[in-house]
């Protein structure tokens, strides 16, 4: 995992792009030797996470899922079991843990789902349905409900003294808003969510995206 050169109030941010879907997994902690949060552990991400945990002497505290699509949840089961932690997901997307095909268009090649756990982690936490705050030893997280890409899409905001850090999943990428053409998606809801984020977050907010490069909110062009 590559250590991010930028920090938010001293945060250690480790990211890697893994697996056959090129999904970004992120590990966020206050610093080496401290509790950490794992965000969106997709296909083939478990080893990268374990390496980051070993290298930086971290203690995984929870898995945070931005939305239920299988390319963001694939390794949640093995990582939750390895570290004895819960995976947190919005209630509207929770069904996709055990039924990943239901969250995908009919045109999606079903052979790409071979090997998915098709089950929930042993412990699942429901994220606040309409957003809210969660307090972890690793830090306070603001959960923003941002439907559109899926009904249960969320973003995770970590506030610092200056610009916040925002894990956006597939709702917002470096190139702008994400797709809204899968089951449960809504282009109108996605547009509304992006307008809300553009208003609520400063332009310097640094994005941890679900795919592709990191960016800042102002660089995406949505504000």
């Amino acid at each position: 995992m590559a250590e991010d050169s930028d920090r938010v109030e001293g945060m250690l941010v480790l990211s890697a792009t893994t697996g056959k879907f090129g999904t970004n997994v992120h590990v966020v902690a206050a610093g080496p030797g401290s509790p950490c949060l794992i965000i969106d552990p997709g296909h083939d991400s478990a080893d990268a996470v374990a390496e980051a945990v070993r290298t930086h002497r971290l203690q995984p505290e929870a898995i945070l899922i931005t939305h239920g699509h299988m390319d963001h949840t694939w390794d949640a089961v093995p990582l939750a079991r390895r570290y004895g932690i819960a995976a947190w997901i919005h209630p509207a997307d929770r069904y996709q843990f055990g039924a990943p095909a239901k969250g995908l268009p009919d045109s999606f090649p079903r052979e790409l789902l071979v090997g998915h756990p098709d089950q929930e982690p042993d412990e699942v936490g429901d994220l606040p349905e309409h957003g809210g705050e969660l307090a972890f030893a690793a830090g306070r997280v603001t959960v923003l409900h941002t439907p559109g890409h899926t009904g249960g899409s969320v973003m995770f905001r970590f506030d610092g003294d200056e610009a916040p850090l925002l894990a956006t999943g597939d709702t917002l990428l470096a190139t702008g808003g994400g797709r809204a053409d899968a089951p449960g998606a809504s282009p109108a809801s996605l547009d509304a969510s992006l307008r809300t984020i553009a208003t609520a977050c400063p332009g310097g907010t640094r994005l941890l995206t679900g795919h592709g490069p990191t960016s800042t909110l102002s660089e995406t062009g949505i504000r």
Side-chain angles (χ1 to χ4, degrees):
M1 257 191 180
E3 181 173 344
D4 209 307
S5 59
D6 293 328
R7 297 202 173 218
V8 176
E9 204 176 77
M11 276 187 174
L12 175 67
V13 181
L14 305 158
S15 302
T17 303
T18 68
K20 54 189 173 183
F21 306 105
T23 305
N24 296 332
V25 58
H26 309 287
V27 175
V28 177
S34 63
C36 69
L37 301 170
I38 302 164
I39 302 172
D40 284 0
H43 176 256
D44 204 25
S45 66
D47 287 346
V49 171
E51 178 187 1
V53 168
R54 286 193 303 268
T55 300
H56 297 276
R57 299 172 286 106
L58 302 174
Q59 299 96 47
E61 184 179 6
I63 296 169
L64 303 180
I65 304 293
T66 62
H67 65 289
H69 284 164
M70 52 84 203
D71 56 324
H72 293 255
T73 67
W74 197 291
D75 276 2
V77 168
L79 283 169
R81 288 179 178 168
R82 176 180 294 185
Y83 297 115
I85 57 178
W88 292 76
I89 192 169
H90 191 277
D93 277 13
R94 182 170 175 170
Y95 73 95
Q96 294 185 56
F97 273 136
K102 290 185 177 180
L104 301 171
D106 291 339
S107 59
F108 186 86
R110 291 315 192 249
E111 62 269 18
L112 293 180
L113 295 176
V114 174
H116 187 278
D118 290 346
Q119 60 180 297
E120 291 190 348
D122 295 336
E123 184 179 356
V124 177
D126 286 334
L127 294 170
E129 189 172 357
H130 302 294
E133 289 194 349
L134 295 175
F136 295 102
R140 186 173 296 277
V141 181
T142 301
V143 181
L144 305 171
H145 183 213
T146 52
H149 182 67
T150 67
S153 287
V154 302
M155 296 186 187
F156 300 110
R157 175 171 166 158
F158 303 84
D159 286 322
D161 287 337
E162 298 180 3
L165 179 73
L166 191 66
T168 62
D170 287 354
T171 298
L172 179 60
L173 306 176
T175 52
R179 296 175 60 173
D181 56 358
S186 166
S189 294
L190 180 65
D191 288 344
S193 293
L194 293 177
R195 288 195 299 271
T196 297
I197 294 301
T199 301
C201 298
T205 299
R206 191 160 62 86
L207 309 182
L208 298 180
T209 58
H211 300 272
T214 188
S215 185
T216 64
L217 186 59
S218 61
E219 289 171 339
T220 66
I222 71 165
R223 55 176 297 133

